[in-house]
Amino acid sequence: MKPISSRRARAIVVALAAGSLALTACSKNDGGDSGADSKKDQKEASVQSKAVTYADAAGSTGPAAEVPGAKPGGTINVYQEAGLSHLDPGQIYVSDAGQVANLLFRRLTQFKEDDKGNVSVVGDLATDSGKSSDGGKTWTFTLKDGVKDQNGNAITSADIRHTVERQYAKFIFDGPTYLQTWLSGADYRKALPNGGFDGKHLPDSVLATPDDKTVVFHFDTARPDLPQTLAMAGYAVVPAKGDTKEKYDKAPVATGPYKIVSNKVGKELVLAKNTNWDPKTDSVRHQYANGFDFQFGITESTQTKRLIADQGEDKNAIQLTGGVEATQIQDVIGNAAVSKRTVKGYQPYVMQLTFNLDRVKDLKVRQAITYAVNSKSLIAGEGGAYGGDVAPNYFAPTLPGYEASYDPYGRLKMPQGNIAKAKEILKGVPAAEKKVVFAYSNSEAGQKRKVAIEDALTKVGFNVVSKEVDSASYYEQIGKLNNPYDLYITGWGQDWPSPGTVITPIYDGTQVADGSSNYSHVKDPKVDELIKKALGQDPTAAAATWKEAQHYLLEKVLPAAPLWYTKQFQLSGSNIGGARYGSVSSLIDINRLFVKS
């Protein structure tokens, strides 16, 4: 998904992984003066891009450091509006499922955050963060002893091979594709069409498992970011014995501290302790609570009211990816007892109005819409300064290479939109091209966004036809190549702090396919050329290339109109302990929670 010092000289300096695709809204308010300092927030956000090191075996050995005051027992209630689109790790690339994955699944590597916000990449199933050789083209991982799945089966290298190879199967379409493309190229599915289920496997020259404890990846070029990649929820292990292919989404096999005991899709997901999880093998997770009860269909406004009131079972509750509802932010910050139960921080997501370039082909139409959209109104619906800041471009403040003043469409000067400029551009554009179909999520946040988009575009002469999309499958629906929509709001955050994890997955022309994150269907030779160039450069040289790519995309191609940078402002019940903002998840740190009494 979206990112301790090593004791060895081999430590590689990397940047903190910070998040993945944004599905749900962040906090919201009336758009008035919230008292939040956006410039200060952006300065603090830059901490999320600081360099960290890959940990060795010492930093990867469990158990995890105890959370001060933690005690066992109790059930944590988790409130969420939309249901989860996936529970199959190979399909997970969205923040809500990513949070759940932290409780259920383990990967070769994992991110570990200390109480000062420092983050390292540690070995999770592996004994360390990996050992590279051959100039970074070969990576070797050794599995820890004593790691089992919920059924008591030992995790071996065969399970890692199976996890990688099943990513090539056609039924896996929603997850990350970094590893597959690095191993087998853009047309990776052709290398193993049936995902290994037919007994055929990737050759040892690509993926070798010489014994039960050893996994070796071979790449055609250096892949220094592999440890962060393998820490993504989308690469969590799927034990070969329990894989039910398409059905795995409903009942996956746990390797983490919790397992599924009940899954009523879209309504409730109940987790209990996985008795086969051994804390001695895990340096990140805890198992304080007896279980988690995820309750879906609860709107953010209802979540907020209940958590402010703090009665009964709500005392033991948290918000999953939702935040304090906009109109109730003042009720939270104005009450000291309630305010101290919040966590907040800058997220890596850039929300944008994405154009389906297969349908919105006229650059003038895209330019007019980009000038017309009202970031101020949209941010008001997210919680004002507590929910976000105006985005003038595609790079978030958490990303290396962020240019605070790069604003080709005057978004910072006129966050409410430049109606006159938009009307001027639209002169001469045929009426048929002014009719646009806008897809929006059927959530409270989606409804607010719909009103803001319709209002702005109608003012400049567009005929907006809004189509409601189920929030749980929103990204799946707009991710279809042949979708019937012209416009949709999307959010993307770096998978680790490199512009390559933003530009590549969203704008690489070789990744235009069903389920791809290239939601605008960009296929531009110059963009592809710049991506290829940057990926072959060291980070310092690549920075200039990524900058050139962003400027070209925004000024010449315009696949999306940047809208706002997101912040998170979440509330939990008074009986929840260990709550803090996690810079890895950009949400409440679900790994360390406990019930106080």
Side-chain angles (χ1 to χ4, degrees):
M1 220 184 258
K2 314 134 260 350
I4 342 200
S5 301
S6 172
R7 297 181 184 177
R8 299 184 182 177
R10 69 173 187 83
I12 302 168
V13 177
V14 295
L16 153 67
S20 70
L21 192 61
L23 173 66
T24 55
C26 310
S27 345
K28 322 183 176 358
N29 119 7
D30 61 8
D33 181 10
S34 67
D37 186 334
S38 293
K39 289 186 177 179
K40 180 181 177 182
D41 287 345
Q42 291 195 11
K43 184 177 180 180
E44 291 177 350
S46 67
V47 173
Q48 291 178 242
S49 65
K50 64 182 179 181
V52 298
T53 54
Y54 290 170
D56 60 8
S60 305
T61 301
E66 291 293 333
V67 176
K71 55 182 66 176
T75 297
I76 296 175
N77 299 314
V78 186
Y79 300 152
Q80 179 79 341
E81 184 168 358
L84 304 175
S85 55
H86 295 292
L87 281 172
D88 182 331
Q91 303 274 51
I92 293 177
Y93 210 171
V94 182
S95 52
D96 54 0
Q99 281 282 74
V100 180
N102 283 326
L103 302 173
L104 291 174
F105 310 125
R106 298 181 68 176
R107 320 122 205 230
L108 276 175
T109 59
Q110 178 60 291
F111 298 109
K112 182 177 181 179
E113 184 172 356
D114 68 16
D115 57 4
K116 296 179 181 178
N118 298 308
V119 176
S120 58
V121 182
V122 302
D124 189 3
L125 294 172
T127 56
D128 56 26
S129 55
K131 293 180 173 64
S132 65
S133 57
D134 189 25
K137 294 180 181 180
T138 298
W139 282 87
T140 302
F141 297 86
T142 303
L143 300 184
K144 292 176 179 175
D145 295 326
V147 179
K148 300 177 181 179
D149 68 18
Q150 69 178 62
N151 300 315
N153 299 311
I155 299 299
T156 71
S157 62
D159 296 305
I160 306 302
R161 175 180 285 279
H162 175 75
T163 298
V164 174
E165 293 180 341
R166 75 190 297 272
Q167 298 270 3
Y168 289 64
K170 290 183 179 180
F171 70 86
I172 300 293
F173 57 87
D174 249 3
T177 60
Y178 293 108
L179 183 58
Q180 306 92 292
T181 55
W182 290 354
L183 289 171
S184 304
D187 293 329
Y188 64 89
R189 293 192 195 276
K190 293 180 180 179
L192 201 67
N194 295 309
F197 289 98
D198 56 359
K200 296 179 181 179
H201 300 288
L202 294 173
D204 285 351
S205 59
V206 174
L207 173 62
T209 50
D211 56 53
D212 284 350
K213 287 294 180 68
T214 307
V215 179
V216 186
F217 295 95
H218 296 284
F219 304 101
D220 59 3
T221 189
R223 295 297 179 186
D225 291 341
L226 182 66
Q228 299 102 290
T229 308
L230 295 174
M232 298 172 72
Y235 294 119
V237 68
V238 175
K241 290 182 180 178
D243 196 345
T244 53
K245 298 184 181 181
E246 291 89 344
K247 296 179 182 179
Y248 199 73
D249 236 342
K250 301 295 188 293
V253 176
T255 49
Y258 295 90
K259 64 181 180 181
I260 297 172
V261 294
S262 173
N263 181 16
K264 299 176 182 177
V265 178
K267 297 180 180 179
E268 185 180 35
L269 176 69
V270 179
L271 309 185
K273 286 186 176 181
N274 172 12
T275 56
N276 279 303
W277 173 78
D278 184 352
K280 293 178 181 178
T281 69
D282 198 325
S283 67
V284 177
R285 302 170 187 83
H286 298 280
Q287 200 184 49
Y288 295 129
N290 290 334
F292 287 77
D293 186 349
F294 293 81
Q295 300 168 31
F296 304 103
I298 303 176
T299 63
E300 285 190 334
S301 56
T302 299
Q303 293 174 29
T304 307
K305 287 176 184 176
R306 289 169 59 173
L307 290 168
I308 289 175
D310 197 41
Q311 299 294 311
E313 286 298 306
D314 295 329
K315 291 183 178 181
N316 297 346
I318 64 169
Q319 295 180 293
L320 184 60
T321 61
V324 175
E325 192 269 330
T327 63
Q328 299 176 71
I329 281 183
Q330 296 301 327
D331 296 331
V332 172
I333 63 177
N335 184 322
V338 177
S339 183
K340 72 179 183 180
R341 295 192 274 115
T342 62
V343 297
K344 53 185 178 290
Y346 227 109
Q347 297 188 304
Y349 307 126
V350 180
M351 304 303 293
Q352 49 198 44
L353 184 60
T354 297
F355 304 114
N356 182 342
L357 298 187
D358 292 332
R359 294 169 60 100
V360 188
K361 298 181 179 181
D362 192 335
L363 178 59
K364 287 185 177 180
V365 171
R366 303 198 296 275
Q367 290 172 332
I369 291 174
T370 300
Y371 277 109
V373 286
N374 189 334
S375 288
K376 185 176 182 180
S377 176
L378 287 160
I379 293 170
E382 303 299 311
Y386 279 92
D389 287 335
V390 175
N393 57 63
Y394 297 148
F395 286 1
T398 58
L399 191 69
Y402 167 63
E403 299 175 85
S405 61
Y406 176 51
D407 186 18
Y409 294 94
R411 181 77 74 238
L412 297 174
K413 293 181 180 178
M414 300 184 70
Q416 75 278 15
N418 190 334
I419 302 301
K421 181 72 172 178
K423 286 183 176 180
E424 179 185 333
I425 293 172
L426 274 182
K427 287 180 180 178
V429 172
E433 294 187 28
K434 296 179 185 177
K435 180 178 179 179
V436 291
V437 180
F438 171 63
Y440 69 96
S441 166
N442 67 341
S443 62
E444 284 188 333
Q447 292 285 350
K448 292 177 182 178
R449 296 169 185 178
K450 166 182 174 288
V451 172
I453 294 297
E454 286 179 343
D455 179 66
L457 299 192
T458 300
K459 284 180 180 177
V460 297
F462 283 100
N463 174 15
V464 183
V465 179
S466 297
K467 298 287 187 179
E468 184 178 275
V469 179
D470 174 60
S471 55
S473 61
Y474 178 77
Y475 279 99
E476 183 177 334
Q477 297 305 315
I478 65 171
K480 294 178 179 178
L481 271 182
N482 196 27
N483 75 66
Y485 315 117
D486 297 312
L487 316 168
Y488 22 81
I489 289 179
T490 64
W492 188 268
Q494 66 227 34
D495 290 311
W496 54 88
S498 164
T501 68
V502 173
I503 296 291
T504 307
I506 312 180
Y507 303 121
D508 186 343
T510 68
Q511 297 191 30
V512 176
D514 282 335
S516 164
S517 304
N518 188 334
Y519 298 111
S520 57
H521 311 156
V522 173
K523 284 186 178 181
D524 188 283
K526 182 168 182 178
V527 174
D528 293 346
E529 177 187 329
L530 290 170
I531 289 173
K532 186 176 181 180
K533 178 182 177 182
L535 291 176
Q537 296 174 309
D538 65 75
T540 302
T545 307
W546 292 126
K547 177 180 178 179
E548 182 183 354
Q550 181 190 204
H551 285 227
Y552 177 78
L553 277 161
L554 200 47
E555 297 169 30
K556 303 298 183 182
V557 183
L558 195 55
L563 299 173
W564 76 94
Y565 302 132
T566 69
K567 298 177 185 177
Q568 187 56 283
F569 188 51
Q570 293 183 294
L571 184 60
S572 57
S574 62
N575 204 30
I576 293 293
R580 72 176 182 188
Y581 183 76
S583 58
V584 172
S585 65
S586 301
L587 298 161
I588 191 170
D589 189 343
I590 205 166
N591 287 328
R592 49 181 277 127
L593 301 178
F594 63 91
V595 179
K596 294 178 181 178
S597 61

